[in-house]
């Protein structure tokens, strides 16, 4: 068995229509990607699995395993462009930047924290970090938010930003959700949507893109309980990835050291995956789970906060006024049981849909060999995706395009399509049709052959084992439902 390399995974994604370079016919644009016919189905399945497992499938009356109590989950879909004051109060306007340096030799720009891993193309060397011997400019700050203008005027009063995270849309709607639903603390608001970051060096395929999708939860709870909820969400989110097929020995939960944590965080853990594009022993972030205290709701009440001793205080300008004012609205919570009012604490599990998809693709990519008609092993590529994530669940083939087989196969296809995304294919040799579905990650293939016309049975082929069995076509819906369990 040969190695799984990024080159092979990228080639498969292109060949089968999972992921294309954006604007490819014009030479592409760095940091932007398009999801093709199979890719869009798979990404939708990831988002649907997340939404179901976190939101609609949540039982509001029973505590899930490991949870301190039962809780409610509701959804939201906030706008991408928001009032610019949102980003000033949240701190993004001032602080959401990376430091970059320019290499005067190769004229390229690099993130300061990545320069040690980069090679100067004009001064190649076998040793990582050689770039720093080059003639580099002093580090400069670069805000990652994409700026745009709202309306016809292109002056500072019309400036707005594409959101760099979906989270702020949740915080600014906290009161709306509280007053329009019957939720009580503890509860979470979930959102899936596009985010934009003008990354200095987008790289590693879709891992670091400039436009990507996030799946975020802001979980509101009482300050007394927040540490327990933080631990619950950290573990719950880790096991979500393993439940969908990521091998636990390639995943790791890494607690941030106090120095590494963002200034507002009382605890952060990253869920990381050993992507094949990383060196042995290195991991890339899939999701961050943060205990954010009351930082966010307080910022949107009072204004941009800065460190003040052990706590935070509103940052003031030279006139003693908040440098960036908050909304002035009361975003606190009145606990009817204890008759106490407080600003809820927030636990934030923040995942990237594109990074999750890349990890699931990397994990699923497998090369093995299966015997041909004469028993000679033939190499194949197969995507061993979890059935919930597979873009197509079943493919239906007539063995040949005559003797009424296409009609019987089309009938089966139509019946199964009522429940799942099913693919029909009557072109080419049966072996090639199987291989195509193996590469697409389709868990089951059904073939209508001569025997079907005699006794109503078909062959059902399993993607991973390639074992074929004969089953009655009238039983297909039940058998497939049991095996897919989706
Ligand atoms: P990194 O350190 O890799 O830049 P981050 O810590 O800035 O990531 P967060 O702000 O915590 O990321 O965002 C939450 C999640 O959003 C990340 O765990 C990741 O899955 C996703 N994400 C963030 N930036 C990108 C990006 N440029 N491309 C794709 N996904 C991203």
């Amino acid at each position: 068995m040969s190695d799984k390399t990024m080159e092979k995974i990228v080639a498969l994604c292109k060949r089968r229509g999972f992921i294309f370079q954006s604007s490819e016919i014009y030479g592409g644009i760095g940091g932007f990607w398009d999801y093709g016919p199979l890719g869009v189905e798979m990404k939708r399945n990831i988002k649907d699995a997340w939404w179901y497992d976190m939101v609609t499938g949540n039982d509001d009356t029973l505590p899930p395993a490991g949870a301190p109590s039962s809780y409610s989950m509701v959804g939201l879909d906030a706008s991408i462009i928001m009032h610019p004051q949102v980003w000033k109060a949240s701190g993004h306007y001032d602080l959401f930047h990376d430091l970059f340096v320019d290499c005067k030799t190769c004229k390229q720009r690099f993130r300061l924290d990545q320069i040690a891993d980069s090679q100067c193309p004009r001064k190649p060397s076998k040793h990582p970090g050689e770039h720093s011997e080059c003639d580099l400019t002093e580090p400069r700050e670069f805000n990652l938010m994409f700026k745009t203008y709202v309306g016809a005027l292109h002056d500072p009063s019309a400036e707005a930003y594409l959101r760099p995270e979906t989270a702020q849309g949740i915080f600014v709607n906290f009161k709306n959700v509280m007053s329009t639903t019957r939720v009580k603390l503890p509860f979470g608001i979930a959102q899936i949507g596009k985010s934009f970051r003008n990354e200095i060096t987008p790289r590693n395929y879709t891992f670091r893109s400039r436009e990507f999708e996030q799946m975020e939860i802001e979980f509101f709870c009482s300050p007394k309980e927040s540490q327990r909820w933080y631990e619950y969400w950290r573990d719950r989110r880790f096991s979500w990835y393993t439940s969908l097929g990521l091998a636990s020995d390639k995943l790791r939960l890494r607690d941030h050291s106090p120095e590494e944590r963002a200034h507002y965080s009382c605890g952060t853990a990253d869920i990381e995956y050993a992507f094949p594009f990383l060196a042995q022993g290195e991991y890339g972030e899939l999701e961050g789970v943060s205990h954010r205290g009351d930082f966010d709701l307080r910022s949107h009440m009072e204004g941009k906060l800065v460190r003040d001793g052990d706590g935070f205080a509103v940052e003031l300008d030279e006139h003693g006024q908040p440098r960036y004012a908050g909304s002035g609205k009361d975003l606190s919570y009145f606990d009817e049981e204890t008759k106490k009012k407080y600003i809820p604490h927030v636990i934030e599990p923040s995942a990237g849909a594109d990074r999750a998809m890349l990890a699931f693709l990397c994990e699923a990519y497998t090369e093995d060999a299966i015997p041909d008609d004469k028993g000679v092993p033939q190499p194949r590529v197969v995507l061993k995706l979890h059935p919930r994530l597979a873009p197509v669940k079943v493919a239906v083939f007539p063995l040949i395009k005559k003797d009424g087989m296409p009609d019987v196969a089309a009938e089966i296809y139509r019946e199964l399509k009522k429940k799942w995304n099913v693919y029909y294919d009557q072109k080419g040799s049966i072996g090639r049709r199987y291989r195509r579905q193996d590469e697409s990650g389709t868990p089951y293939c059904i073939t209508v052959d001569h025997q079907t016309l005699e006794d109503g049975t078909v062959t059902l082929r399993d993607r991973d084992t390639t074992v074929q069995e004969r089953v009655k076509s009238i039983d297909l819906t039940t058998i497939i439902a049991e095996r897919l369990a989706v």
Side-chain angles (χ1 to χ4, degrees), residues 249-250 252 254 272-276 278-284:
D249 60 347
K250 294 211 203 81
R252 108 180 155 178
R254 189 179 63 82
E272 302 176 329
Y273 180 70
F275 284 97
L278 297 170
Q280 183 75 25
E282 283 185 13
Y283 291 78

Side-chain angles (χ1 to χ4, degrees), residues 80-82 84 87 145-151 153-163 196:
I80 286 172
I81 294 178
M82 294 191 273
W87 307 109
M145 287 199 293
F146 277 97
K147 193 192 277 184
T148 186
Y149 295 91
V150 174
L153 283 178
H154 277 206
D155 67 14
S157 70
E159 278 173 12
Y161 301 91
L162 302 191
R163 66 180 178 201
F196 301 82

